[in-house]
Amino acid sequence: MVTLLQLNRHLDDDHKNLEEVKQDEVKDWFKTQVIKAKRFQPLAVLNQKLKGLDVFESNDTPPSPGLPASSSSNPQVLRPDPDEVITRSHWQRHGPNDVCSEPMCGKRLSAANGNVNCRKCGKLFCEEHTMYQMKLSRSARHEPVRGIWCRVCETCYKSREGYNDHNGLERDHTKNFSQLRSKIVDKTFLEVSRLEKRLTKLTQLLANSQADQTSANSGLLWSLAGNKSQKKILEQSVVTWEDDASVLHCPFCQQEFSNYSFRRHHCRLCGRVVCGDLRTGCSSEVGLNVAATTNETTEKAVGEVNIDVRMCRDCKSTVFSKRDFAAKIATKPPDSRAYENLIQFEKGIRLLLPRFQRLLEALQDPDKPPSPTQLADASKVRKRLIDSFSQYNVAARRVRDLPTESPTQQRLQKAIYQQATSFLHIHMLPLKSLPKVLKHAVPHGSASNGYLSPSIRPTSALASIKFNDIDARSQASSSSAVSAMESEEKSLRERLIVLEEQKYLVSDMIADANKRRKFDEVSSLAQNVEDLSKEIDQVQGQLGQLDFAGVYGGRSTDALGL
């Protein structure tokens, strides 16, 4: 289909230098078409002419095609008016300010728009929303067989019984399908049972024979010739082997047999002659561990015996298809296992976050100073959360770096990694609260600018830890203050590592967005990089404010005073 732009280019390129005669012809053609268009009657006039036509079904019975037309002598049968037959007791009365009852219309009812009662529900509607018909009984109920055609609204027409029934005629073929399927299933089950019985019998014969020969020879190796002949006799006793001379080609790969280079082999379950080519896999030896029965001569229980049974491709698939299918279902692909591992880490983080929030609320109470037990619990939970976040990040990277050749799978892995990065960025914010609590842990906010007057002594354990102001009550627990500062330093450094890693990830995302020319994402990600840089500077400043020398000096002074 030619677009308007292509048509304009065609006119500009190929017909820009037309002769004057041809230009006059084109102009005359356009004028003729305009005159023809003006001769058409307006749409309003056409609607006015069509208004008088009967667009509804007639209640008169159409004449039968086999009967002749009635003569003029027969009296004309007068049909009653449907409005006189159908009850009007439920009709809405007309008023001066009536509007259409259709919720989406609401037009003012007048002579131009129409003022029509629905014969079924009785409500007033405009002309546009009563252009439907359905058969009604004398009591204004739907009667599709013996009813009379009446004018109704759109709602009554579409809500009648059977309007939304699009199923049509249904035929249940389940019984026929079950009968056909049962024949195939029964045939397959009989084939599997027959091959399984042959395999069971063959393995038991070979296992018992091997166990008897081993006990009789007192652990010595069997005679090669006797072993081979005895094993062949046992295998042929289970199923009759096909004659070698009658088969010239392999039934699966159609390769021609020879006496030396391309030998014949027999399937031990069906007896067919097949080849042993490893490339085509027409037949293969299946290793089985069979439990041999008790030896009758020595009356000692014999353990498992390893037996190799050659099977053709069809017999192997028939016997082991169910087992292979179950193993395939039970085996999960590596991408599914990696994603499940990621989900497990996410669940663990979501379970730990509420507990950490409760501990933070207890630490931030200015009236109740936190105890060393609460501090220790908060530090433990925070450490567990940091470990969980690091493991979650490693699992997300493992999902992203899984090798795949499908572009759809690669996009899915990238989407999972981006969602994991967003999860880390959102839920690692509570971990930043504990250092802030340690920084601002002053009762009732007495130090607003981060500077504490010497006359004001902090009574909170967190404030004592932060500002190295240990009074008489905290001198006994100076060792706990030092350990708290050490744990705070460790948490700050771990937080710094996480923030730097997030900054590196967001920088990679900015580079990727620039390559894909998604500049709206680049602007938002650049703002995130700025926020992360500010947080990194704050953490580094908090690390610089920690005064370990003052704490240890206070401990030595207390020791000398004692």
Side-chain angles (χ1 to χ4, degrees), residues 440-483:
H440 303 287
V442 179
H444 306 288
S446 56
S448 59
N449 297 327
Y451 173 74
L452 189 63
S453 174
S455 59
I456 302 175
R457 294 291 182 179
T459 58
S460 171
L462 288 173
S464 302
I465 294 171
K466 174 64 185 173
F467 295 101
N468 193 22
D469 191 4
I470 306 174
D471 55 3
R473 291 179 301 172
S474 62
Q475 286 178 359
S477 60
S478 60
S479 60
S480 63
V482 174
S483 61

Side-chain angles (χ1 to χ4, degrees), residues 311-322:
M311 302 180 192
C312 66
R313 187 165 58 193
D314 290 347
C315 294
K316 182 180 178 181
S317 174
T318 304
V319 174
F320 299 107
S321 59
K322 288 186 177 180

Side-chain angles (χ1 to χ4, degrees), residues 296-309:
E296 297 178 357
T297 57
T298 59
E299 296 182 357
K300 291 182 179 180
V302 182
E304 292 185 349
V305 180
N306 297 327
I307 297 175
D308 295 332
V309 180

Side-chain angles (χ1 to χ4, degrees), residues 129-168:
H129 292 99
T130 51
M131 301 297 290
Y132 300 90
Q133 264 190 321
M134 60 187 298
K135 286 190 173 183
L136 300 178
S137 63
R138 295 177 181 271
S139 58
R141 296 184 179 276
H142 183 216
E143 182 63 41
V145 179
R146 299 179 181 179
I148 301 174
W149 287 108
C150 297
R151 191 172 183 177
V152 296
C153 64
E154 183 180 1
T155 304
C156 295
Y157 179 77
K158 292 184 178 180
S159 62
R160 75 182 191 274
E161 184 181 359
Y163 177 76
N164 293 320
D165 187 9
H166 305 294
N167 295 329

